[in-house]
């Protein structure tokens, strides 16, 4: 799909894993854990965007090798994207004070809360994008395996603050598009289709905000065709974690998340440490002029960023919404290091 339709919004996030020490060979026995999120109930046009605390996750000091997920129904059958659009899912690592139940999540909690501490990835975005894992509609066709001898280290008791426990948080944003009057518009979260004038924090939505996350929040509803009937159903995010017990031969990696909407500019003649960047997460893709044929309407966006430390890239993947034609990471010399191409 090469066209860039009006009101299209893309949230393109690239995940990079950079090694921190020299690699060494290893023989590993991979274990696997399969988990289900709590049920979220959808009916035609409805939206679920909920946060689930203390989800099922492998215990102990481990190295994660693979993290896959998909939406399934009560019988365990995979649900097609044309029925339930998986806008995104993210998994966040956090420390919870022992004996205290946390029931609400905000992106800006960071280390400023006494009972809930987000263990962010190593990325350079400030505010959101603190997750360790996450994709969206491209989930089923994307390989996420971290090759030997590398692994994502979690569960190290030395890193957990005294009096706290390491836990995991899951956010699933799903949109039921059965019977939708405009399926693409629903997945793009166009505000007119959701009939909302305020976001979930009761802030007035500006007229020039045509669509995006502020319009398709939890419990909103996209317009469906008159007379369409569809059942309510319980769905789940089924996720599989492959891992090995931690050992000295494993090469630990860091997770970096970049955002194509990053507004950071490199200061001239500056050697200062890279500060947190302002990542907008989503942006409006302007439509082409009427003089341009739809097949030739392609929007291109690029950013240049500097990492706070050096290393080798061993894995990368892009998160793209409908209409995206691909994303690539280039090195300083312009060579393509890795790329993600969507399947339509």
């Amino acid at each position: 799909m090469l066209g860039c339709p009006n009101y299209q919004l893309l949230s393109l996030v690239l995940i990079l894993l950079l090694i921190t020490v020299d690699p060494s060979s290893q023989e590993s026995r991979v274990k696997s854990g399969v988990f289900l999120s709590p049920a979220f109930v959808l009916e035609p046009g409805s939206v679920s965007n909920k946060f689930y605390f203390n989800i099922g996750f492998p215990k102990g000091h481990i190295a994660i090798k693979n993290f896959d997920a998909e939406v399934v129904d009560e019988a365990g059958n995979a649900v097609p994207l044309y029925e339930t659009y998986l806008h995104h899912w993210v998994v966040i690592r956090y420390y919870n004070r022992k004996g205290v139940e946390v029931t609400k999540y905000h992106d800006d909690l960071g280390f400023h809360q006494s009972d809930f501490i987000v263990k962010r990835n190593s990325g350079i975005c400030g505010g959101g994008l603190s997750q360790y894992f996450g994709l969206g509609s491209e989930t089923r066709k994307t390989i996420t395996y971290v090759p030997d001898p590398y692994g994502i280290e979690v569960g190290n008791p030395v890193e957990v603050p005294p009096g706290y426990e390491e836990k995991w948080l899951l956010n699933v944003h799903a949109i039921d598009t059965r019977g939708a009057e405009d399926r693409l518009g629903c997945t793009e979260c166009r505000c007119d289709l959701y009939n909302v004038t305020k976001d979930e924090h009761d802030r007035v939505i500006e007229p020039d905000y045509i669509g995006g996350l502020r319009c398709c929040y939890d419990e909103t509803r996209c317009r469906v065709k008159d007379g369409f009937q569809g059942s309510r159903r319980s769905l789940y995010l089924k996720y599989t974690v492959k891992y090995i017990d931690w050992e000295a031969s494993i090469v630990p990696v860091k997770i970096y998340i970049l955002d194509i909407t990053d507004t950071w500019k490199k200061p001239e003649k500056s050697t200062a440490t890279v500060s947190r960047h302002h990542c907008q997460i989503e942006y409006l893709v302007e439509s082409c002029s009427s003089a341009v044929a739809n097949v030739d309407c392609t929007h291109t966006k690029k950013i240049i960023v500097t990492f706070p430390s050096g290393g080798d890239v061993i894995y990368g993947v892009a998160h793209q919404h409908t209409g995206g034609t691909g994303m690539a990471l280039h090195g300083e010399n312009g060579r393509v290091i890795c790329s993600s191409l969507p399947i339509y």
Side-chain angles (χ1 to χ4, degrees), residues 26-104:
Q26 72 171 37
E27 294 289 337
S28 62
R29 292 185 297 173
V30 177
K31 302 178 183 179
S32 182
V34 182
F35 305 90
L36 287 179
S37 73
F40 49 95
V41 180
L42 290 176
E43 60 185 29
S46 66
V47 177
S48 178
N49 187 22
K50 292 181 169 59
F51 293 84
Y52 305 107
F53 290 81
N54 194 23
I55 60 171
F57 206 87
K59 302 295 184 182
H61 190 188
I62 61 174
I64 298 174
K65 302 291 289 181
N66 197 78
F67 197 114
D68 290 324
E70 64 175 344
V71 174
V72 298
D73 60 20
E74 290 185 298
N77 299 314
V79 178
L81 281 171
Y82 59 80
E83 291 184 0
T84 299
Y85 182 75
L86 185 55
H87 187 279
H88 71 260
W89 60 268
V90 297
V91 175
I92 297 170
R93 183 184 178 194
Y94 70 98
Y95 302 134
N96 200 119
R97 187 185 296 276
K98 294 179 180 179
V100 176
E101 182 180 1
V102 178
T103 58
K104 193 166 180 62

Side-chain angles (χ1 to χ4, degrees), residues 7 9 42-49 83-87 173-178 180-200 205 209-224 321:
Y7 316 134
L9 284 141
L42 290 176
E43 60 185 29
S46 66
V47 177
S48 178
N49 187 22
E83 291 184 0
T84 299
Y85 182 75
L86 185 55
H87 187 279
H173 187 189
I175 303 171
D176 193 318
T177 58
R178 290 176 295 166
E181 185 177 291
D182 181 345
R183 180 179 283 119
L184 179 60
C186 286
T187 62
E188 291 178 336
C189 297
R190 271 180 32 198
C191 300
D192 61 324
L193 293 172
Y194 284 87
N195 193 31
V196 294
T197 57
K198 293 184 178 181
D199 63 20
E200 61 184 322
I205 298 173
Y209 187 84
I210 301 172
L213 288 167
R214 296 180 65 194
C215 292
C216 59
Y217 48 90
D218 190 43
E219 303 297 335
T220 53
R221 185 182 177 89
C222 193
R223 195 157 63 233
V224 298
H321 286 258

